[in-house]
Amino acid sequence: MTTTPSSSLTQDELKALVGQAALQYVVPGEIVGVGTGSTVNKFIEALASMKDRIRGAVSSSVASTERLKALGIPVFDANEVESLAVYIDGADEIDAQGHMVKGGGAALTREKIVAALAQRFVCIADESKLVDVLGSFPLPVEVIPMATEHVRRRFQALGGSATVRLRDGQPLVTDNGQHIVDVLGLRIRDPLMFESEVNQWPGVLTVGVFAHQKASVCLLGTAQGVKTLTF
Ligand code: 5RP
């Protein structure tokens, strides 16, 4: 289903379009799960318009928490919540089955935790994120620092090329105090099996494949408007 025809929109405008469209999935009176990233930032801005009709949010990162609080939206700890009706987040890649690669913003572990609390995962993305096979975007993996080299070698054995993500010349430190390894050169044809296997490797906190916690719905920003994919 496609709504809201539009002419040539920038990527930023497409993000704003899907951020706004995601409001229809927010359940009044409830707590909403909120992801991380530039697309989610548009959603957070839109969510402010209905802040008096929700109880608040559970956030997947320090950055999103700060934005939510700045707009007067109460933020709950994930441990205070047994279940969420919906989790709204972006993706770096999504395939036709709703499997995703996430973690471009280094928030993958908390994103997977909040997604696991939710009955429904609504992915918001522009159409550049839709792929046939996951793996073109460098796959983010959150790793305990002492295991980085071991994990890098294991990806190399699978044909991938893994590097530690840097910020200002130093390994980036996540909200959880860990590092991110980005893996290039993989074609992830069986995302469910891949996610299960890599998550078993010692030192891997979370692999950025979201197959067990895949999207239920994707709102895709296209030149023709918002296209709704359901999985
Ligand atoms: C952060 C994520 C983001 O959802 C993903 O990187 C997409 O971000 P953006 O909306 O900025 O393209 O997984 O860890």
Side-chain angles (χ1 to χ4, degrees):
M1 186 182 77
T2 304
T3 56
T4 325
S6 53
S7 55
S8 60
L9 294 177
T10 63
Q11 198 180 26
D12 201 54
E13 287 166 334
L14 291 176
K15 288 177 183 188
L17 205 60
V18 292
Q20 183 71 36
L23 288 185
Q24 66 190 292
Y25 290 88
V26 177
V27 182
E30 298 227 356
I31 298 171
V32 59
V34 176
T36 301
S38 56
T39 316
V40 165
N41 289 346
K42 302 290 187 189
F43 168 67
I44 293 174
E45 282 166 29
L47 189 63
S49 68
M50 62 179 292
K51 69 177 176 191
D52 297 331
R53 285 186 283 140
I54 57 169
R55 279 180 62 205
V58 171
S59 159
S60 68
S61 63
V62 171
S64 289
T65 297
E66 282 171 359
R67 280 177 184 267
L68 288 158
K69 285 186 173 169
L71 290 167
I73 300 170
V75 178
F76 291 82
D77 188 280
N79 288 309
E80 294 179 90
V81 172
E82 204 175 302
S83 134
L84 297 165
V86 68
Y87 175 59
I88 295 176
D89 198 358
D92 299 303
E93 290 185 331
I94 182 162
D95 71 13
Q97 286 74 47
H99 306 128
M100 295 166 286
V101 162
K102 293 183 44 53
L108 63 164
T109 299
R110 294 188 186 200
E111 290 172 344
K112 217 174 256 192
I113 293 167
V114 186
L117 293 173
Q119 286 151 34
R120 209 170 193 199
F121 188 138
V122 176
C123 174
I124 49 177
D126 66 82
E127 62 185 338
S128 69
K129 308 290 183 71
L130 188 63
V131 296
D132 290 334
V133 179
L134 302 178
S136 298
F137 186 90
L139 174 70
V141 186
E142 187 166 4
V143 177
I144 293 170
M146 77 172 281
T148 302
E149 287 309 307
H150 170 70
V151 168
R152 267 173 23 85
R153 285 192 293 272
R154 287 189 81 150
F155 277 118
Q156 219 164 338
L158 292 184
S161 156
T163 51
V164 177
R165 194 181 300 181
L166 302 179
R167 179 180 286 167
D168 302 327
Q170 295 298 318
L172 176 148
V173 178
T174 67
D175 287 351
N176 310 307
Q178 311 302 334
H179 290 173
I180 298 284
V181 161
D182 291 306
V183 191
L184 268 170
L186 299 173
R187 301 274 289 168
I188 305 167
R189 296 189 186 279
D190 187 343
L192 273 171
M193 206 177 77
F194 184 92
E195 181 181 5
S196 298
E197 189 194 323
V198 176
N199 265 341
Q200 302 293 327
W201 295 357
V204 169
L205 191 57
T206 310
V207 61
V209 170
F210 282 55
H212 292 281
Q213 253 83 58
K214 71 173 193 167
S216 332
V217 175
C218 179
L219 303 178
L220 205 62
T222 77
Q224 289 74 43
V226 178
K227 198 172 164 192
T228 304
L229 311 176
T230 46
F231 308 105

